Amino acid sequence: MEMTEAKSKQKDNGTLFSQFMENVRSKNEHEAKFIQAVSEVVEYVAPFIQEKDYYQNESILQRIIEPERTVIFRVPWIGDDGKFHVNRGFRVEMNSAIGPYKGGLRFHPSVNLDALKFLAFEQIFKNSLTGLPMGAGKGGSDFDPKGKSDNEVMRFCQSFMSELFRHIGANTDVPAGDIGVGGREIGYLFGQYKRLKNEFTGVLTGKGVDWGGSLIRPEATGYGCVYFADFMLHRIGDNFRNKSVVISGSGNVAQYAAEKSIHLGAKVITLSDSSGYIHDPDGVDEDKLDFVKELKNVKRGRIKEYTRKYSNSKYFEGENPWSQKCDIALPCAIENELNKNDAKDLISNGCKIVAEGANMPVTLEGIEAFLEANVIYAPGKASNAGGVAVSGLEMSQNSMRVNWSKDEVDKRLHDIMLQIHNICVKYGKESGDTVNYVKGANIGGFVRVADAMIAQGLV
Ligand code: NDP
Ligand code: 2IT
């Protein structure tokens, strides 16, 4: 039987896209995380552009996966003991179609080109969804700040910036924090940039509020993630009140996801770090959260110490929190921290909503399990966009030389998260009233950048 023209075109395109993924795999064969991130996007964007010749004729997918520029450099520094150390520094300048490169710096032993390419790729779609004029980048180093003195961290940051400064700028590339890079590191990096360029500009975000930073930036990713989860709940006539929430991580994102969950009347029962997790059956309240903030941000201690102070809680060494019964799960630590088996545990324990605070914390098989079980699942590029969104607001305030109030920034953050939610619903609507937020975020994020790339010609 002869195929209709449309069907035959569909088949050709199916082959075209499996060939596309084949090429991505062979060209980046040692980059498993990057391949994972690309295949999640292509799964949804490929069918969307099937009938749109202009995206295909202009090779948008082929161009969008290739960083515009990647810088790799040596970072030498001296330890407190007088010994020499060398780390590797990176900046992946991924896409500048809709604004200067924008994205965080990660200091963690797992940092390599693969990790940063996946993060920079995710950032394209995330930054696009915010509606703000920000392109995409990511950088960092395999330097491990754990166990280092403040002076060692300062010397490392100064050395890192001594190379990075020539590649960045307020209108070129604006780095920020990520894992292992918080207020302390941004301060040292900013100080060195200012010294080298003799310029006080908004070249980094996440700065201290007294020297160009924005109120609500520390809270933004965690708060934004909970706002997003709350919008998903509202769509099905529900909310956070009295829900039990399982959170992984105990760093910047986890702390403020916990804080906003508590504000909305939920009970946060877990937090974790790379050594294990704590379960508090009474819930982490605001006082207990203050203890965690002091423990992690000032004393730089381990989450295990929570159980010494709060005796009703229990520590699980070497485990993640996904086996705990909950209504809402917010993975806020690191990529691939929640696999298919973890997803199955959450599903069988009745979890209804998963919103990613971290970048790509759920594996592809985990996502599939959630979607099959009709768990409402938000990918990080949508639900954790609040951090970079407030970074964008910090850039605006720096350009205008003004400081917005806490309420002003929080309201803007809330509005941006709502707008992202609505874009996901628009592009992710499926049969009946269901929304596939992965589809919505990928297509919604893609369109703006792809159209800008076409408008700007072959670059
Ligand atoms: P932090 O460095 O403040 O905290 C990271 C947390 O994750 C720590 O509790 C850390 O524990 C834990 N962690 C690290 N590695 C592992 C592991 N292998 N298994 C379990 N837990 C681990 O980073 P952030 O909170 O800023 O970042 C967390 C996530 O959110 C990352 O995926 C980041 O990319 C993403 N994100 C961050 C944004 C921001 O604005 N900061 C914005 C958007 C996304 P330990 O102390 O033991 O290392
Ligand atoms: O993954 C992320 O979006 C971040 N780490 C924040 C980036 C930023 O530029 O604020």
Side-chain angles (χ1 to χ4, degrees), residues 40-60:
E40 186 216 286
V41 169
V42 169
E43 179 181 351
Y44 292 102
V45 169
F48 173 74
I49 67 174
Q50 204 156 47
E51 298 303 320
K52 298 179 178 61
D53 289 342
Y54 47 99
Y55 290 137
Q56 291 194 42
N57 296 341
E58 304 242 1
S59 297
I60 292 296

Side-chain angles (χ1 to χ4, degrees), residues 246-285:
V246 159
I247 296 180
S248 65
S250 49
N252 173 264
V253 180
Q255 289 169 18
Y256 290 102
E259 184 165 288
K260 187 52 73 178
S261 299
I262 298 166
H263 289 171
L264 296 184
K267 185 170 169 183
V268 174
I269 55 169
T270 68
L271 288 168
S272 73
D273 58 26
S274 56
S275 310
Y277 80 93
I278 58 104
H279 176 251
D280 186 339
D282 305 328
V284 179
D285 60 20

Side-chain angles (χ1 to χ4, degrees), residues 89-374:
F90 301 84
R91 187 71 182 166
V92 178
E93 295 184 334
M94 195 75 198
N95 194 297
S96 62
I98 59 170
Y101 309 110
K102 179 84 196 90
L105 296 171
R106 177 177 290 190
F107 292 169
H108 192 267
S110 66
V111 164
N112 56 22
L113 190 58
D114 176 25
L116 296 177
K117 277 178 68 181
F118 118 65
L119 288 160
F121 184 71
E122 290 279 292
Q123 207 81 41
I124 300 175
F125 305 89
K126 185 195 304 195
N127 293 6
S128 165
L129 284 166
T130 67
L132 299 174
M134 298 183 293
K138 200 89 190 188
S141 174
D142 57 358
F143 173 76
D144 187 357
K146 264 196 218 101
K148 306 288 189 304
S149 70
D150 285 354
N151 278 337
E152 287 178 318
V153 170
M154 181 178 72
R155 285 195 294 274
F156 175 80
C157 288
Q158 290 178 338
S159 180
F160 184 85
M161 188 52 90
S162 295
E163 172 58 32
L164 187 67
F165 87 99
R166 67 188 90 245
H167 308 290
I168 62 176
N171 294 313
T172 306
D173 183 352
V174 183
D178 194 81
I179 293 179
V181 177
R184 174 182 63 169
E185 290 74 18
I186 293 294
Y188 296 148
L189 291 163
F190 183 76
Q192 184 71 353
Y193 181 87
K194 187 162 58 66
R195 187 180 180 200
L196 291 166
K197 294 284 278 196
N198 197 24
E199 274 178 13
F200 194 114
T201 59
V203 65
L204 290 158
T205 59
K207 300 184 292 297
V209 280
D210 293 327
W211 41 279
S214 176
L215 289 165
I216 298 292
R217 177 61 188 88
E219 293 88 344
T221 312
Y223 278 19
C225 178
V226 172
Y227 290 150
F228 196 96
D230 199 36
F231 296 137
M232 297 200 295
L233 279 165
H234 275 266
R235 231 194 117 256
I236 56 164
D238 208 341
N239 59 52
F240 260 69
R241 187 148 292 281
N242 299 326
K243 297 289 186 300
S244 63
V245 184
V246 159
I247 296 180
S248 65
S250 49
N252 173 264
V253 180
Q255 289 169 18
Y256 290 102
E259 184 165 288
K260 187 52 73 178
S261 299
I262 298 166
H263 289 171
L264 296 184
K267 185 170 169 183
V268 174
I269 55 169
T270 68
L271 288 168
S272 73
D273 58 26
S274 56
S275 310
Y277 80 93
I278 58 104
H279 176 251
D280 186 339
D282 305 328
V284 179
D285 60 20
E286 293 209 61
D287 286 344
K288 295 176 184 176
L289 194 55
D290 282 344
F291 169 81
V292 173
K293 287 180 188 169
E294 170 85 9
L295 173 70
K296 296 307 261 185
N297 309 348
V298 183
K299 296 186 179 141
R300 302 186 189 273
R302 310 302 299 159
I303 199 67
K304 183 181 182 177
E305 291 164 45
Y306 183 98
T307 52
R308 279 199 214 124
K309 170 112 175 138
Y310 302 107
S311 53
N312 227 5
S313 64
K314 204 172 158 202
Y315 177 65
F316 296 82
E317 174 81 25
E319 289 184 41
N320 69 38
W322 313 125
S323 57
Q324 293 292 341
K325 188 175 162 52
C326 65
D327 304 301
I328 299 168
L330 306 176
C332 296
I334 199 161
E335 61 269 15
N336 294 329
E337 57 167 316
L338 197 165
N339 64 23
K340 186 179 175 177
N341 290 335
D342 301 322
K344 285 189 167 161
D345 281 349
L346 285 166
I347 294 162
S348 63
N349 278 329
C351 176
K352 291 281 175 300
I353 297 260
V354 178
E356 295 184 341
N359 286 307
M360 208 168 75
V362 182
T363 62
L364 289 175
E365 295 75 23
I367 298 176
E368 206 177 299
F370 285 138
L371 296 182
E372 265 171 22
N374 290 325

